[in-house]
Amino acid sequence: QVQLAESGGGLVQAGGSLKLSCAASERTFNNYFMGWFRQALGKEREFVAAISWGGARTDYAASVKGRFTISRDNAKNTVYLQMNSLKPEDTAVYYCAAGRGPHYTASFTDRGYDYWGQGTQVTVSS
């Protein structure tokens, strides 16, 4: 199986920026589409962003589009989430995930992913 390890979370003031990283153990990392999800306290896990195998296609939830950028470096087996203009409502545990299926459209729901990281806390203060 694939092990995923998120890092880069922390406490930031509203309007600030953070960059999350997710390092994968899988040497064939480029065979997985990748995504970021988040779960706020008392809420269900929600889709944030996804990226295709080679990084040519990216997709975002409406709530983060224009503020967040997902990217990947297959040579480093790492996916990133650059978060700018952070808002208090962005506060959540952020998870990265890897999907091995052949259909990229499966990346928009958590049920489309096979492997999950443990999450990293992002807290945005007013």
Side-chain angles (χ1 to χ4, degrees):
Q1 65 265 27
V2 178
Q3 282 78 49
L4 303 172
E6 303 97 336
S7 62
L11 175 64
V12 65
Q13 292 185 348
S17 298
L18 285 173
K19 188 173 184 178
L20 306 183
S21 298
C22 176
S25 64
E26 175 58 54
R27 63 179 178 84
T28 58
F29 178 69
N30 62 312
N31 289 331
Y32 296 83
F33 59 78
M34 300 295 296
W36 286 96
F37 292 77
R38 66 187 183 186
Q39 186 168 21
L41 185 65
K43 306 286 285 187
E44 293 187 357
R45 186 175 297 181
E46 66 175 346
F47 169 78
V48 175
I51 188 165
S52 60
W53 300 267
R57 179 174 176 177
T58 58
D59 295 274
Y60 300 91
S63 59
V64 306
K65 192 171 185 178
R67 300 188 296 121
F68 291 11
T69 302
I70 188 171
S71 62
R72 66 191 296 164
D73 186 339
N74 288 346
K76 297 180 178 179
N77 292 351
T78 302
V79 64
Y80 305 94
L81 185 68
Q82 177 68 50
M83 305 184 295
N84 298 327
S85 301
L86 282 162
K87 305 174 181 179
E89 52 262 45
D90 295 319
T91 295
V93 176
Y94 283 71
Y95 300 89
C96 70
R100 64 184 177 186
H103 306 294
Y104 176 72
T105 52
S107 67
F108 303 119
T109 174
D110 55 2
R111 291 184 293 275
Y113 292 84
D114 302 285
Y115 307 103
W116 293 83
Q118 296 300 306
T120 186
Q121 176 71 47
V122 172
T123 302
V124 184
S125 62
S126 299

